[in-house]
Amino acid sequence: MRRAPQFRVDGVERKGRSLRYISTRGTAPALGFDDALLAGLARDGGLYVPESWPAIARDEIAGFKSTPYAEVALRAMRPFVAGSALETDFPALVRDAYAAFDDPAVAPLRKIGPEAYLLELFHGPTLAFKDMALQLVGRLFDRVLAARGARVTVVGATSGDTGSAAIAACRDRAAIDIFILHPEGRVSEVQRRQMTTVMAPNVWNVAIQGSFDDCQDLVKGMFNDAPFRDALGLSAVNSINWARIMAQIPYYFSAAAALGAPAREIAFAVPTGNFGNVYAGYAARAMGLPISQLIVGSNRNDILTRFFDSGDMSMRAVEPTLSPSMDIQVSSNFERLLFDLLGRDGARVRQAMERFRAERKLPLGRAEWQAAARLFAGYRVDDEATKATIASLARETGIVIDPHSAVGLAAGRARRRDPKVPLVALATAHPAKFPDAVEAATGKRPEAPERLARLMDMPERLDVLPNDLAAVEGYLRARARAAAGPR
Ligand SMILES: *Cc1c(COP(=O)(O)O)cnc(C)c1O
């Protein structure tokens, strides 16, 4: 795979130079970090990627072994914000983002077998790995907006998990109001309470009398209503935002260093939906981390596994599984990898994506597929195998994992090439978030940690609205502070 030219972090080349972000589709203007953060999607429909990958020196990586997580995070991410208005505040924001995690290691490693480890990414406020990125991204957003005297209104639809992570990231932020729509009565009680028990004055939960698709259509309708969108400064903190990828890079470094990198290679297994998490591993490798393999775990929605196995990336209908956060038909962040596979040629990416939408199959040559398959492997894990993995790990080690983590672990076990290379399986949610699946696998309901148990006695705040765009827009207009004009 072709690597972008290296960007020197230390030494004279850095002076006066800041890292810029370019669109995968080649025509949107290159932006600095702050603008890429606020933009999310590029104006040409592409995704922002760094113009070149900063390198982390080998001795710095080795030093991460005995360094607290927030400090590793700071050093791994610092080159990405070089030259931005955020640069001075960045260390404090990073430390603050990880201060409230319920494990002092933030992302602890647990040994589960010979050269096999779990990397627990669920110690944040909502007990799933989205917190690893969103806790920082909410703070970054707020700081950049405050510096510009601007406000935004974040809106989103959720079928369960992403809403709570977004709320936890945006609550109490001075420049942000957040409105999350969920389908009334169709999210689990725990999922609802993780959203509705947040009493922050800038958080609004709306239960829509309709389905998740209705909620998504309402959000789309609001974004398509240009006067409304502009009046409220609508924004989404969605999974294609570059800053979310950036904030997922550090745990690859911390885990690999703990296991002997850079003197040793490390393999990672990642339960994958939108390809954001595993793409962050790819980025860590581009920055100099010796990653030998990135193993992508898919559930029955296996478009990525079909691609890495045979070069076939064709769309199929989404099927529900035990790992709902991975029930995805098209992985939006894959476009970032595609950009490198196509020689960083935006015109070729645009063409390929247009044909993908039209023909429902990505036109990609054998050479590109083979380049990808040298680093990535895919593996499909159905619900039965997911439960069997939860059960066998519990039997062998006493450790209980959630269904998403089980998909990653099963894929890692099946596809690791070299048993002497440590395998790190990313654990992306606490098992108590998916008690039914865990109970079906082990016969025992997982114990809820304090953070979750407490929710059951807390008061809730939500409003119920009909599935009606005018009603929802009226509700937001009356509450969003941005609707009152600039600060
Ligand atoms: C979002 C999510 C995933 C998938 O991560 P991607 O970055 O979308 O590939 C896996 N597991 C859990 C628990 C998630 O919430």
Side-chain angles (χ1 to χ4, degrees), residues 122-325:
F122 51 73
H123 291 281
T126 73
L127 303 169
F129 104 99
K130 303 278 189 300
D131 292 332
M132 295 295 302
L134 281 169
Q135 281 297 305
L136 178 63
V137 173
R139 286 168 169 82
L140 297 178
F141 240 76
D142 197 51
R143 193 55 58 100
V144 171
L145 290 165
R148 297 182 178 193
R151 269 194 222 287
V152 293
T153 305
V154 171
V155 293
T158 188
S159 56
D161 271 335
T162 48
S164 56
I167 287 172
C170 294
R171 63 174 298 171
D172 298 314
R173 309 259 157 253
I176 306 174
D177 289 308
I178 179 167
F179 294 80
I180 296 292
L181 278 45
H182 71 264
E184 187 187 21
R186 300 198 202 180
V187 300
S188 77
E189 182 174 9
V190 169
Q191 286 174 331
R192 188 190 69 236
R193 284 178 172 274
Q194 280 194 307
M195 299 189 283
T196 57
T197 54
V198 176
M199 291 298 152
N202 67 331
V203 171
W204 305 94
N205 280 289
V206 181
I208 296 293
Q209 294 170 319
S211 65
F212 172 56
D213 286 340
D214 294 332
C215 295
Q216 274 190 313
D217 287 344
L218 288 167
V219 170
K220 271 189 216 141
M222 288 189 269
F223 273 98
N224 288 335
D225 179 348
F228 180 80
R229 184 186 64 211
D230 295 343
L232 273 74
L234 287 198
S235 176
V237 197
N238 48 29
S239 73
I240 50 85
N241 198 298
W242 162 255
R244 280 185 60 174
I245 303 289
M246 175 188 77
Q248 293 168 1
I249 293 171
Y251 47 76
Y252 286 91
F253 277 98
S254 69
L259 297 174
R264 285 178 99 179
E265 292 197 306
I266 312 289
F268 286 90
V270 187
T272 298
N274 256 327
F275 206 71
N277 200 358
V278 73
Y279 178 78
Y282 171 84
R285 183 169 180 274
M287 296 165 73
L289 191 66
I291 294 178
S292 62
Q293 255 194 307
L294 287 168
I295 301 164
V296 169
S298 313
N299 60 27
R300 226 167 338 126
N301 301 291
D302 64 347
I303 184 167
L304 289 167
T305 291
R306 281 183 280 123
F307 173 71
F308 291 120
D309 272 357
S310 67
D312 165 37
M313 183 171 287
S314 51
M315 297 185 202
R316 292 187 186 160
V318 179
E319 295 179 47
T321 71
L322 292 178
S323 42
S325 299

Side-chain angles (χ1 to χ4, degrees), residues 21-75:
Y21 295 85
I22 54 175
S23 165
T24 52
R25 301 207 187 170
T27 56
L31 300 179
F33 180 83
D34 303 0
D35 290 312
L37 171 76
L38 294 184
L41 198 68
R43 240 188 288 159
D44 57 9
L47 278 60
Y48 281 108
V49 289
E51 197 166 34
S52 57
W53 292 110
I56 304 288
R58 286 178 64 89
D59 52 349
E60 180 148 29
I61 297 175
F64 288 165
K65 189 182 172 85
S66 49
T67 306
Y69 184 81
E71 208 52 42
V72 173
L74 177 58
R75 290 199 223 153

Side-chain angles (χ1 to χ4, degrees), residues 376-398:
F376 291 91
Y379 193 72
R380 171 181 182 274
V381 183
D382 65 17
D383 282 352
E384 283 314 307
T386 301
K387 284 188 280 185
T389 304
I390 297 172
S392 71
L393 187 70
R395 220 170 29 240
E396 291 156 20
T397 66

Side-chain angles (χ1 to χ4, degrees), residues 110-114 116-120 122 385-410 413 423 425-427 429 431 438 441-442:
R110 284 230 248 174
K111 192 166 167 71
I112 53 170
Y117 301 83
L118 281 180
L119 176 60
E120 294 183 352
F122 51 73
T386 301
K387 284 188 280 185
T389 304
I390 297 172
S392 71
L393 187 70
R395 220 170 29 240
E396 291 156 20
T397 66
I399 295 172
V400 177
I401 55 176
D402 99 289
H404 301 80
S405 309
V407 168
L409 176 61
R413 282 173 168 170
L423 172 72
L426 273 50
V438 170
T442 63

